[in-house]
């Protein structure tokens, strides 16, 4: 699921993330630069506002460790290499560290919660 998540985002853009986010009231995320978690609705607002300004996204897992907790839940942690090109042609290279929990729903595996931070170069 985490591999498909990036494949879809790289091909289709930021809005493809909605396929992978759990939209239950249990969802929360701490995005880069935030010190507290935000809800699904807040993440949705950010994604919809940001998506039109991006020309391309290229994210790859540099490292990824998945720890199964049960048949329907797992935690993960990994480092992401990213290259983002905005609509002005500005290219941003970054490395992120991400941890989270995924949950199996009837519609497939979803991101339930987690946090992402930018790693210093």
């Amino acid at each position: 699921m985490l591999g498909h998540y990036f494949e879809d985002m790289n091909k289709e853009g930021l809005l493809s993330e909605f396929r992978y986010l759990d939209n239950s009231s249990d969802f929360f995320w701490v995005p880069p630069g935030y010190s507290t978690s935000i809800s699904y609705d807040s993440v949705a607002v950010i994604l919809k506002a940001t998506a039109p300004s991006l020309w391309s996204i290229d994210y790859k897992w540099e490292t990824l460790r998945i720890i199964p907790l049960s048949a329907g839940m797992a935690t993960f942690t990994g480092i992401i290499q990213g290259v983002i090109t905005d609509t002005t042609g500005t290219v941003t290279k970054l490395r992120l560290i991400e941890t989270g929990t995924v949950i199996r729903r009837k519609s497939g595996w979803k991101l339930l919660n987690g946090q992402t931070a930018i790693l210093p170069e």
Side-chain angles (χ1 to χ4, degrees), residues 1-68:
M1 168 262 179
L2 293 167
H4 292 297
Y5 174 51
F6 283 169
E7 286 173 15
D8 287 353
M9 203 166 52
N10 293 346
K11 289 178 189 172
E12 301 170 32
L14 200 57
L15 295 181
S16 68
E17 281 196 62
F18 284 109
R19 273 186 232 127
Y20 299 94
L21 302 180
D22 184 68
N23 64 357
S24 75
S25 61
D26 294 327
F27 176 90
F28 66 87
W29 203 265
V30 182
Y34 284 64
S35 58
T36 59
S37 64
I38 60 175
S39 68
Y40 175 88
D41 290 340
S42 295
V43 169
V45 167
I46 292 167
L47 291 176
K48 289 175 185 176
T50 305
S53 67
L54 301 181
W55 179 258
S56 68
I57 301 167
D58 184 14
Y59 278 3
K60 295 178 179 126
W61 289 106
E62 182 179 314
T63 63
L64 178 61
R65 182 174 183 191
I66 300 169
I67 302 168

